[in-house]
Amino acid sequence: MKPFKIIVAILLLFACNKNDGATTTTTDTSGIAKGADISWITEMEASGKKFYNTAGTEMDGIRLLQTLGVNSVRLRVWVNPADGWCNKNDLLVKAYRAKSLGMRILIDFHYSDSWADPSQQTKPAAWATMNLNELKTAVADHTKEVLTLLKEKGITPEWVQVGNETGNGMLWEEGKASVNMANYAALTSTGYDAVKAIFPDAKVIVHLQNGNDNSLFRWLFDGLKANGGKWDVIGMSLYPTKDNWAALNTACYQNMQDMISRYGSDVMICEVGMDQQQATAAKAFLADLLAKATSISNNKVLGVFYWEPEAYGAWKNYTMGAFDDAGKPTEALDAFK
């Protein structure tokens, strides 16, 4: 891989100067966020992947998503990833490009060197031997460092996740919720306070998997509340199939209503996706979920984000994007228009 600073410079120039000949839609900055997690996009571009509109015209991938109705991006950040992708500098490139297009931004802290999800919440290697107090300091320092980097470049995220799919906590074993909910609450509150120290107006999200599982959400957020945990927004993931999406949407809708009523929280659907080959069903699923989200009163559901829709060609063995194998969007994202 080329030196990362060179890639950063090239991508910044690409974002600012490329003339793709396409008309960019006016960004809708009011109402619900219609979003996409695009964290892979710089790595895909560096590997030679290209993106095309339905007419076959090559376009910048982020601009293309914007023309499809996406007005917000979600970007993950890892502490010290082995290959550099999704570190703070790579995050800055993508956030800068999104800002230049007037898009809204959600930052997703994994607090790991790689994937943090329900199956793994592995501490960064540099934090491996830390005790709870040391982990709290590390969380605060890392959060502030990354957000300060954005702030210095004039980039203001609207939302910040402290942890990714933390249905059983984060930074295992110390922060494993089923083992020690108080520790997890302390780490979450530390992240919350760090976000507010840099961006007081940003809304802090605590994000869980399986947005249809009300019992999981009640257990985790009851536990956080009982232990002084802080959050502004309850985040959810939802990954149905073509056969069960209607039932999962209904359960997720009921869960959203319960979270709003039980905790007075806003809600964000931080991740959705469906098999790339089931684009028609994916469009129906997404349209129905958006309709349910916007039907909830007082604008308490803030947005819906498709996870890595630009992934295609079984990129990283992921097959739930919303682009076909030729690099063109499928009809799934038509629900955002």
Side-chain angles (χ1 to χ4, degrees):
M1 185 177 76
K2 295 181 180 179
F4 198 76
K5 289 184 179 178
I6 294 175
I7 293 175
V8 169
I10 290 170
L11 289 174
L12 284 173
L13 288 170
F14 180 85
C16 294
N17 299 327
K18 181 175 179 181
N19 179 9
D20 50 41
T23 300
T24 301
T25 59
T26 301
T27 303
D28 176 17
T29 57
S30 63
I32 196 166
K34 295 176 288 184
D37 189 311
I38 57 166
S39 302
W40 266 327
I41 196 161
T42 46
E43 186 178 3
M44 292 182 72
E45 290 167 344
S47 77
K49 290 286 188 181
K50 299 182 184 300
F51 305 96
Y52 305 90
N53 65 19
T54 54
T57 301
E58 182 184 345
M59 292 185 65
D60 171 82
I62 304 177
R63 291 184 182 184
L64 175 54
L65 286 168
Q66 191 178 44
T67 69
L68 299 173
V70 172
N71 61 21
S72 308
V73 299
R74 177 177 183 254
L75 303 169
R76 65 180 164 270
V77 57
W78 292 330
V79 176
N80 188 27
D83 58 11
W85 300 113
C86 294
N87 69 7
K88 63 184 180 181
N89 294 320
D90 183 39
L91 171 74
L92 177 61
V93 172
K94 292 171 286 195
Y96 181 89
R97 290 169 63 178
K99 177 184 181 296
S100 73
L101 292 171
M103 302 180 85
R104 305 162 77 181
I105 297 172
L106 188 166
I107 302 298
D108 174 18
F109 282 94
H110 280 230
Y111 299 122
S112 181
D113 290 335
S114 186
W115 303 104
D117 56 44
S119 66
Q120 56 193 352
Q121 293 283 339
T122 306
K123 287 181 288 188
W127 305 2
T129 61
M130 291 182 178
N131 61 32
L132 179 64
N133 286 333
E134 291 168 332
L135 285 170
K136 288 167 62 178
T137 298
V139 165
D141 290 349
H142 171 64
T143 304
K144 291 177 183 178
E145 178 185 18
V146 171
L147 296 181
T148 297
L149 181 64
L150 297 178
K151 187 175 185 178
E152 289 174 346
K153 300 300 182 183
I155 300 166
T156 301
E158 195 167 339
W159 315 276
V160 180
Q161 273 185 228
V162 289
N164 187 74
E165 293 193 327
T166 58
N168 195 13
M170 60 187 178
L171 294 165
W172 293 347
E173 289 291 314
E174 285 77 4
K176 199 168 194 174
S178 59
V179 175
N180 195 320
M181 184 68 76
N183 282 2
Y184 170 55
L187 291 164
T188 298
S189 294
T190 295
Y192 181 100
D193 291 342
V195 172
K196 298 293 186 176
I198 309 303
F199 292 113
D201 295 331
K203 291 192 174 185
V204 177
I205 303 172
V206 171
H207 169 225
L208 277 59
Q209 70 276 15
N210 299 340
N212 56 299
D213 188 350
N214 179 247
S215 62
L216 169 65
F217 279 72
R218 283 192 169 204
W219 171 76
L220 194 285
F221 285 98
D222 280 356
L224 278 180
K225 184 176 180 180
N227 287 279
K230 301 176 185 179
W231 73 89
D232 300 319
V233 181
I234 291 175
M236 303 179 177
S237 293
L238 196 68
Y239 288 96
T241 68
K242 67 180 181 65
D243 298 317
N244 69 6
W245 69 259
L248 263 61
N249 273 6
T250 297
C252 184
Y253 174 68
Q254 293 168 344
N255 191 28
M256 287 190 283
Q257 291 179 307
D258 185 54
M259 293 298 101
I260 293 165
S261 174
R262 191 175 183 86
Y263 306 109
S265 296
D266 291 336
V267 172
M268 178 78 83
I269 309 300
C270 298
E271 296 182 22
V272 300
M274 190 182 288
D275 191 324
Q276 172 198 358
Q277 301 299 322
Q278 303 296 335
T280 300
K283 177 184 175 181
F285 151 65
L286 188 57
D288 181 71
L289 187 62
L290 284 163
K292 284 178 165 57
T294 54
S295 74
I296 294 176
S297 62
N298 299 318
N299 300 314
K300 296 294 285 182
V301 182
L302 305 181
V304 178
F305 285 73
Y306 209 104
W307 198 82
E308 299 283 13
E310 82 287 1
Y312 73 91
W315 172 260
K316 303 281 187 178
N317 297 315
Y318 187 70
T319 58
M320 297 179 72
F323 276 55
D324 64 23
D325 288 340
K328 297 181 181 180
T330 70
E331 65 179 288
L333 292 180
D334 288 351
F336 277 155
K337 292 181 179 178

